[in-house]
Amino acid sequence: MSLSSPYQDPALCRALLDRLQTALDGRELRFMEVCGTHTVSIFQSGLRSLLPKEVTHLSGPGCPVCVTHDAEVAAFLDLAGRDGDLLRVPGPGGRSLKHAQAQGARIEIVYSPLDALNIAAANPDDTVVFLGIGFETTAPTVAATLMMAEQRKLDNFCVLSLHKLVPPVLRALLDDKDGCDVQAFLLPGHVSTILGLEPYGFLASEYRVPAVVGGFEPVDILQALCIMAEQRRDDAPAVVNAYQRAVSDQGNPRARALLETYFMPSDALWRGLGPIPNSGLALRPAYERFDAMKRLDITLPDVPPLPGCRCGQVLKGRITPPQCPLFGKACTPASPVGPCMVSTEGSCAAYFKYMT
């Protein structure tokens, strides 16, 4: 990896590592990141091998493909039967959208929800369903697409909204009595460009857990870890923005306004974590004509978990990927069993690529 950026400067990284060691002063720091890009960056940069022995890195539910529930994948397959990465996520019986596509289902990969809207315009006699997954980062673009569908009167377009919200899952992780004892959070940079800092405030005020919004370069990550360790040393937990070149403390008000207009919080299923109240986004009643769930009478079935797969335990930080009995054996990137090995941002895929 080229170390040309000042945010990758070896001397600065070494100084931050020294600062981190001093702040730790022998204390343990178990931090969790909840962003697939952070997962990959930490492995790719080699930081895991440089961190002090007192620091434990946990990868949480920050990969949108990984947290898509088995029942949601089953609903995708049912929808495909009627008429990227997500295509390869196994569902019931090991089938995936890729299998459904090979069997004749009309499925297209798009790089923006606007592409799906254009497909709807080009096929006025067909109902086009956009599968909406992901966090607060991507949901505003779906809201903007719904606004354009209204303007263009494209009533053959609809959205299966299975978006997830980050703050509620952080609360669920901390409330889990059998959890992994998270002591600090490295907050997601991309999501925070939309949210800002305020939605995370409960982490410090209610749970007294340090939380730092961090960027993705080695210097960004090390700076965030230093701030976490110093907060723990001083018993002064706070939510801090350490990624100010990209994230405003107030977030993006226009994007949040779009979300507020078209979506409302709803209960959601998370792989490995189950149902979490108000952790998803459903379309508001005024836009039900665009809601694939209601329009096509889609229900989420009861689906047994994938045999042997322990992605849920990985997403909770209870185990590391190599502790799953399928890891590197029955489950590899070429032939994945669970979603954490499917996604390029999944922790299992990262472990496999950089640690084996």
Side-chain angles (χ1 to χ4, degrees):
M1 145 177 216
S2 171
L3 299 180
S4 57
S5 164
Y7 297 101
Q8 300 170 341
D9 180 73
L12 185 50
C13 287
R14 173 49 59 191
L16 286 167
L17 282 166
D18 290 343
R19 174 182 163 188
L20 176 59
Q21 189 74 72
T22 299
L24 290 168
D25 193 24
R27 287 178 291 269
E28 180 186 35
L29 176 63
R30 293 171 58 82
F31 82 95
M32 175 180 279
E33 38 83 2
V34 282
C35 173
T37 307
H38 275 139
T39 302
V40 173
S41 296
I42 290 170
F43 279 96
Q44 188 178 51
S45 64
L47 282 182
R48 283 182 62 93
S49 63
L50 299 175
L51 293 175
K53 66 180 186 303
E54 295 91 345
V55 177
T56 300
H57 165 218
L58 303 171
S59 288
C63 160
V65 172
C66 302
V67 300
T68 301
H69 196 273
D70 311 64
E72 295 171 338
V73 177
F76 297 161
L77 289 167
D78 175 61
L79 188 59
R82 301 186 201 183
D83 185 346
D85 277 346
L86 189 61
L87 284 179
R88 300 175 61 227
V89 177
R95 292 183 70 236
S96 67
L97 287 174
K98 198 76 173 174
H99 291 104
Q101 186 181 48
Q103 293 165 3
R106 189 174 175 187
I107 302 169
E108 297 191 35
I109 298 175
V110 294
Y111 293 96
S112 160
L114 292 174
D115 293 339
L117 196 63
N118 291 332
I119 293 172
N123 298 272
D125 295 329
D126 296 328
T127 299
V128 174
V129 181
F130 178 76
L131 303 185
I133 70 163
F135 303 114
E136 292 92 340
T137 315
T138 55
T141 64
V142 178
T145 303
L146 290 167
M147 180 176 66
M148 293 189 67
E150 276 195 294
Q151 293 170 352
R152 296 171 64 180
K153 296 181 170 55
L154 293 174
D155 290 332
N156 64 323
F157 174 79
C158 55
V159 173
L160 182 56
S161 178
L162 298 170
H163 294 98
K164 309 265 193 301
L165 303 176
V166 169
V169 78
L170 302 185
R171 183 183 290 277
L173 287 167
L174 292 173
D175 285 341
D176 185 355
K177 301 307 180 187
D178 299 317
C180 57
D181 186 27
V182 178
Q183 296 171 335
F185 282 109
L186 175 58
L187 297 173
H190 297 139
V191 167
S192 300
T193 62
I194 306 298
L195 293 184
L197 298 188
E198 190 275 333
Y200 305 117
F202 70 93
L203 295 172
S205 63
E206 296 181 35
Y207 294 89
R208 300 197 58 76
V209 170
V212 183
V213 177
F216 305 101
E217 301 287 359
V219 167
D220 291 320
I221 295 165
L222 287 172
Q223 181 187 20
L225 291 176
C226 288
I227 295 169
M228 293 175 199
E230 288 163 356
Q231 288 186 18
R232 282 179 52 76
R233 177 196 64 196
D234 301 336
D235 191 23
V239 179
V240 174
N241 180 7
Y243 194 29
Q244 294 188 11
R245 68 182 186 277
V247 174
S248 163
D249 288 0
Q250 292 72 42
N252 186 325
R254 292 184 65 183
R256 292 201 307 277
L258 264 177
L259 286 178
E260 178 70 19
T261 298
Y262 288 92
F263 291 103
M264 59 184 181
S266 63
D267 297 348
L269 288 174
W270 293 66
R271 187 182 292 265
L273 287 86
I276 299 177
N278 294 320
S279 66
L281 290 175
L283 268 70
R284 291 191 177 276
Y287 305 103
E288 279 188 358
R289 66 189 184 279
F290 297 116
D291 189 341
M293 195 77 75
K294 292 184 170 60
R295 183 166 168 176
L296 301 176
D297 193 26
I298 297 171
T299 58
L300 299 183
D302 290 329
V303 177
L306 297 170
C309 175
R310 298 190 68 189
C311 278
Q313 300 296 306
V314 171
L315 292 171
K316 289 182 177 182
R318 289 185 182 174
I319 66 170
T320 60
Q323 291 174 290
C324 174
L326 303 184
F327 178 82
K329 303 178 182 68
C331 186
T332 67
S335 181
V337 174
C340 296
M341 189 65 86
V342 171
S343 176
T344 55
E345 292 193 340
S347 52
C348 292
Y351 262 88
F352 188 91
K353 182 174 182 178
Y354 296 106
M355 302 291 284
T356 60

